[in-house]
Amino acid sequence: MRFHFFGVVFLLSMSLFSQKEYPQDVFGSPLEIPLILSGTFGELRSNHFHSGIDIKTQRREGLPVLTIADGTVTRIKVSLWGYGKALYIAHPNGYTSVYAHLQKFSPEIEAYIKKIQYKKQSYEVEVFPDYGELKVIKGNTIGYSGNSGGSAGPHLHFEIRSSVTEKPTNPLLYGYEVRDATNPTLLGLFGYPLSDGAVLNQSAEKIQLNFTKQPDGSFLADKVTAIGTIGFGFNGFDRQDLAANQNGVYSVRQTVNGKTYSEYDFETFSFTETRYINTLIDYVHFGKYRQRIQKCFKEPHNRLAIYKTLHNNGKIEVKDGLSYAVQITISDFHGNTTELRIPVEGKRETVKVNKDISKTTDFIIADKPNNFDLGAAKVYFPSNTFYKDFYIDLKKGKDTVQIHDNSVAAHRNFTISFDVSKYSSEERKQLFIARLDSKNKPRHSRTYKRDGSFTTRTKTFGTYTLAKDSVPPTIKARNFKEKQWLSNYSYLSLEIADDLSGVKTYNATLNGEWILMEYEPKTKTLTYNFDDKILNKTQCDLKVVVTDNVGNRSTFKSTFFRK
């Protein structure tokens, strides 16, 4: 397939955003079909920015995935979640390309990784081949698109990183053609009184602001009256021409009376800073409404390096009797823009909505370690678990502890420890720490068992308790029956499940020899491909052992025949 690049218009639009020149005639397409995106680089995700682009694969799996340039495979990872089956290829020009959620690898790479899987007797593996051990040529098929790992539907997750720093960069910077003449969509505008005594539209609390679309396509907000230090935020999305997906925007610029107060874009970011996304968005609003408001001002605890320009951290000092023309420009990668104008008048007014400060008996000092004894359990927050000081809501139950709510983001893991000394050693084997979901169903939290104490480490607030799991996992055959002839079958399929603590391990043998069964937890299926191993016996004895997270074990045995 011939790969096309943008002409002068693309290069001009790219120069508006990028301070660095990226190669435009080096990398080919990772797929043989037109590139239509279901996810953009830097898109706002749960606790992280999206580090690549998600390319649609026509709602199907098995499309050839091509290496974008000559190179060598430097990393292969197979995992149940995350990127699933993923391939990393280093190129001579200092870049590394990443291909994730694959269905399978090319025959050469598949044979290489399966040899290691059989040696380690594990489906999940991560290997780093020697440089030059697995060379690839531009345009070679290196795998096939799929839906493995944490993918919610068939697509190719594609990245380009620096081979030195491992920082991902926006793949569209390298000349990939994606049709997009559609302006970003603005959904909401919000005003924030930030300083002590600041008021915005007679409110000392955050307030949603009205705006209307103008004949020229821009938006005009109703006039804002304010005093003190204020800031603005918005929520919105971008959409490409050939897709209905609500994707992330590329850049945001805020000006006040013509001067740039804040500007950031998603040219690149580092994985070490990605969790600070929770400081870019209004996390309280997200916890309550599941909407991500992007703040046009930078909080003190925000350590993101995505900002190109900052004046007063994007905060606006409003003085009585003065007027301010605020403009927020939201752009996508191709230079399509949505402009929002906000007239602000400095004016002292009576406060009708006072600042709401919910106080509890417990207070978190963010830069200090914090310990709390809740009776049934003890909770330890290391220093800098949180971004700022706040009153934390902790509640004691008979057998439960409730730790705040989802209005606050934890940046680091905190520890919950339950005293289990009153339980016998046999009882402890079936106990685990669980977080209760919205339906009060216990969800397993990885539990470390030491003497008379159970501990879990988490970043998630909620209600925690000790739960008991005495029921072993279930194992069922899906595509075969006992003593069936399977000569024309290409694979075996089983279903495994555990409805409480969850599946921890599984192991399968055929005639006493370990076999590789691929586990897909989203569909609860185990699959064995008969091509993996040549069987010399007509009678085949299959044994599958599945263990849950507290040690309950089930064994499945079946005999079938093959010629």
Side-chain angles (χ1 to χ4, degrees), residues 268-287:
T268 184
F269 63 87
S270 71
F271 289 109
T272 57
E273 67 179 326
T274 189
R275 196 172 178 89
Y276 283 101
I277 185 177
N278 293 327
T279 66
L280 173 69
I281 66 172
D282 181 340
Y283 198 86
V284 175
H285 187 93
F286 174 70

Side-chain angles (χ1 to χ4, degrees), residues 66-339:
L66 317 175
T67 180
I68 62 172
D70 295 354
T72 181
V73 177
T74 55
R75 183 184 180 191
I76 308 170
K77 187 173 183 179
V78 179
S79 54
L80 297 179
W81 298 105
Y83 282 2
K85 294 183 179 181
L87 202 58
Y88 300 71
I89 298 175
H91 307 288
N93 59 357
Y95 294 100
T96 292
S97 54
V98 182
Y99 315 79
H101 304 308
L102 300 177
Q103 179 192 65
K104 59 182 178 180
F105 304 109
S106 66
E108 180 187 2
I109 299 172
E110 190 81 7
Y112 178 92
I113 198 66
K114 280 192 175 182
K115 182 178 179 181
I116 294 170
Q117 289 172 313
Y118 270 94
K119 181 179 180 181
K120 294 186 175 183
Q121 295 191 357
S122 175
Y123 171 63
E124 290 190 284
V125 293
E126 182 176 18
V127 295
F128 300 86
D130 292 336
Y131 197 89
E133 185 177 2
L134 289 174
K135 292 182 178 180
V136 294
I137 299 173
K138 182 177 181 179
N140 276 5
T141 297
I142 51 174
Y144 298 87
S145 66
N147 187 36
S148 61
S151 171
H155 72 281
L156 174 67
H157 174 87
F158 172 64
E159 298 179 17
I160 298 179
R161 302 180 181 181
S162 164
S163 297
V164 176
T165 66
E166 296 250 343
K167 286 181 66 175
T169 49
N170 194 323
L172 298 186
L173 291 163
Y174 301 87
Y176 289 105
E177 181 177 357
V178 176
R179 285 180 55 182
D180 186 0
T182 306
N183 293 337
T185 298
L186 177 66
L187 295 176
L189 172 66
F190 301 83
Y192 294 80
L194 298 175
S195 61
D196 290 340
V199 180
L200 191 150
N201 283 2
Q202 298 183 292
S203 174
E205 279 287 323
K206 176 192 76 179
I207 187 171
Q208 185 162 5
L209 304 172
N210 296 322
F211 56 86
T212 55
K213 192 170 186 178
Q214 303 300 295
D216 63 356
S218 66
F219 294 89
L220 177 64
D222 293 351
K223 185 168 72 171
V224 171
T225 58
I227 200 75
T229 304
I230 66 170
F232 292 102
F234 75 94
N235 66 319
F237 62 88
D238 187 42
R239 180 176 281 154
Q240 278 75 47
D241 292 355
L242 301 177
N245 302 77
Q246 296 184 4
N247 297 329
V249 303
Y250 180 74
S251 71
V252 179
R253 182 171 179 249
Q254 177 189 234
T255 63
V256 182
N257 294 336
K259 181 175 182 176
T260 300
Y261 268 49
S262 62
E263 182 178 14
Y264 62 88
D265 66 29
F266 293 104
E267 175 187 348
T268 184
F269 63 87
S270 71
F271 289 109
T272 57
E273 67 179 326
T274 189
R275 196 172 178 89
Y276 283 101
I277 185 177
N278 293 327
T279 66
L280 173 69
I281 66 172
D282 181 340
Y283 198 86
V284 175
H285 187 93
F286 174 70
K288 188 174 183 179
Y289 301 105
R290 312 312 291 174
Q291 298 173 347
R292 294 183 176 93
I293 299 172
Q294 298 186 49
K295 293 179 285 192
C296 297
F297 55 94
K298 186 180 181 183
E299 300 274 22
H301 39 275
N302 180 338
R303 298 182 183 177
L304 292 171
I306 61 175
Y307 294 93
K308 306 300 181 185
T309 306
L310 275 174
H311 173 75
N312 198 34
N313 284 321
K315 300 173 183 178
I316 306 165
E317 306 282 353
V318 179
K319 297 181 179 180
D320 193 15
L322 297 181
S323 296
Y324 305 82
V326 180
Q327 180 168 306
I328 298 174
T329 303
I330 308 164
S331 305
D332 63 22
F333 181 83
H334 297 93
N336 304 303
T337 62
T338 294
E339 294 183 351

Side-chain angles (χ1 to χ4, degrees), residues 494-510:
L494 296 94
E495 179 183 300
I496 63 174
D498 189 273
D499 64 356
L500 193 51
S501 64
V503 172
K504 183 178 183 181
T505 63
Y506 66 92
N507 190 69
T509 59
L510 206 52

Side-chain angles (χ1 to χ4, degrees), residues 16 25 37 65 67 184 235 263 279 309 393 396 407 444 477 543:
L16 295 175
D25 56 355
L37 305 187
V65 175
T67 180
N235 66 319
E263 182 178 14
T279 66
T309 306
D393 187 16
K396 305 176 183 179
S407 64
H444 177 266
K543 180 181 178 181

